[in-house]
Structures are given as C-alpha cells and as structure tokens.
Amino acid sequence: MTHTSYHIEGADRKGRFVVTCDHATNSVPDALGGTLGLPEADMARHIAYDIGALGTARALAEALDSPLVWSDFSRLVIDPNRGEDDPTLLMRLYDGSVIPGNRHAGPEERARRIEAYWRPYHDAVAGLFETRPDAALVSVHSFTPQLRGRLPRPWHLGILHAWDARLSDALLELLAQQPDLVVGRNQPYPGHLPGDSVHQHALLHGRHNTLIELRNDLIAEPQAQEDWGRRLAPLLKTALARAPD
C-alpha cells in the first residue's frame, strides 16, 4: 500500500500566503512497521511530530484564504525540515528516546526515505509556489514547554528567521503590542538551518517568509488551534503589507 507523504488543502484559494506544516503528524508508513519500534507514549510526544501544529496551520490558512501543504509522515521517519545532507535528517536518539527503527538505517535506507517521503513533500511545496511565485511562506511549528533536564520555556510563541527578516520583523513589531504574550525572536531555536524548508522554498527565491513556533500546551485542543489561527491571520496580513519589498 502506497503511503501518501503530503496533502494540499485550498489550492485554489486566492490569498497571498502559502502555509506549510512540516511536522504535522506522527504517522509511520506500514513499510516501517507503523511505530519505528517506539512505544505509543513516545509516538505521542513532540519527538514524533509538532503537537497542535496541523490544526493551527489549517485554521491559519483558512483565515488567510491561502493554501496549506502538510507532511503526512513523522519527523522520525525522515525530517522534512532538514536539508538532505543534514546529520539530523534521520534521528537515532531524540530527547532521551532511542529510535529502534532508525538504529541500523544506513545510507541506502536514508536515500530510500528521502525519495519516498521527503522529496515528494518538497516537490509539492515547490509546485504550489510555481503557481504563485509572489506568495509569502508561513511555516507553522510547535515546541514542547520543557525538554528533559532543561528549564521551562517561557515563550508563548517564537518567530524564527534567517537573514531575510522583512516579514518576521514586521510581525514581531505587531506581536510586541500584544500585552498577554511572551514572544521570542529565534527562540527556542535558531532561525536558520541550511537546507531547511524556509531556506529551500523562500530564502533561495527572495520570497517573504516567517516561521512561527507555538508552545504546544497552548494549542493542544482544537478550539485553541482555531483561536490561534484566527488571531495570527490578521497580524500576518498587516505584517506583509508593511514588509519592505
């Protein structure tokens, strides 16, 4: 049975954005055993997918009247938000959990997963931009409130960016006016990994872009995902209008 590695929703929407969700699900193809040898509790953790991100991205895309592209394979299968030559593309250990199904995955298996899952997803994103080359990329992710052995993370959300911060700067200015939010710039992660999704689909093409990281306890429930999507949409529209060309 063929595993579908991506889905596109709202391809005919007329908005000025393309919304992506790289780590949308914890799905593992049957060809890989369905779990990669991990217990159910681990597959439900942030190590397998970005909890709440898909529902938030879906609500955001609808509010922006823009298409959404999301991956339908766990980041533990192969990470779509890493470049092909990134050593963390296929993880064997993640936040204290050994990934049994990846322990002996060598170069051939890595290449097979790239062709079967990683590349079709990125081809879909690239194909959508071909039909709307002036669209801005908004990549939606979530982060866990606390990694094992680390301090709690105080941010409600982070805005990540690389050298092209035009849209992110405008969005951060608007978010700074929200008195109930603690917002991080390039927190809790650095804003750029060479070859990542934003690099591939925006930075290399001079497109406006931003990556939104939401703390996953804030978007664990469907209503919260809907609320955040609708809250962020008008801010993104205003930020894009203000961002310099």
Side-chain angles (χ1 to χ4, degrees), residues 143-147 150-155 215-218:
F143 62 91
T144 189
Q146 186 173 11
L147 292 173
R150 305 283 185 88
L151 293 173
R153 291 163 160 172
W155 309 280
R215 207 175 69 209
N216 66 26
D217 61 320
L218 302 178

Side-chain angles (χ1 to χ4, degrees), residues 26-41:
N26 59 358
S27 175
V28 177
D30 291 341
L32 295 173
T35 65
L36 291 170
L38 284 168
E40 185 176 338

Side-chain angles (χ1 to χ4, degrees), residues 6-25:
Y6 68 89
H7 300 274
I8 298 176
E9 299 177 11
D12 58 347
R13 293 172 183 161
K14 305 303 183 183
R16 296 186 59 197
F17 297 85
V18 169
V19 181
T20 62
C21 190
D22 295 331
H23 301 145
T25 77

Side-chain angles (χ1 to χ4, degrees), residues 114-241:
I114 288 173
E115 291 302 321
Y117 312 113
W118 186 95
R119 199 175 311 284
Y121 171 68
H122 285 292
D123 286 348
V125 177
L128 198 55
F129 271 113
E130 286 179 3
T131 67
R132 50 181 78 211
D134 296 330
L137 173 62
V138 178
S139 185
V140 178
H141 294 253
S142 71
F143 62 91
T144 189
Q146 186 173 11
L147 292 173
R148 290 179 177 178
R150 305 283 185 88
L151 293 173
R153 291 163 160 172
W155 309 280
H156 296 98
L157 72 160
I159 303 300
L160 279 55
H161 63 84
W163 61 84
D164 183 354
R166 294 171 295 165
L167 180 57
S168 294
D169 283 346
L171 181 58
L172 281 161
E173 288 181 9
L174 294 167
L175 287 167
Q177 299 169 20
Q178 307 286 310
D180 60 327
L181 296 182
V182 178
V183 182
R185 180 191 289 270
N186 287 333
Q187 296 286 356
Y189 308 113
H192 176 58
L193 289 170
D196 66 12
S197 287
V198 172
H199 185 250
Q200 288 187 59
H201 301 295
L203 294 175
L204 293 178
H205 307 278
R207 294 183 180 120
H208 283 297
N209 66 88
T210 193
L211 190 153
I212 300 173
E213 286 269 4
L214 288 147
R215 207 175 69 209
N216 66 26
D217 61 320
L218 302 178
I219 53 172
E221 301 300 328
Q223 186 59 58
Q225 296 161 17
E226 183 75 20
D227 292 344
W228 273 100
R230 295 193 174 278
R231 180 176 186 175
L232 291 170
L235 299 176
L236 278 161
K237 289 179 181 178
T238 301
L240 184 58

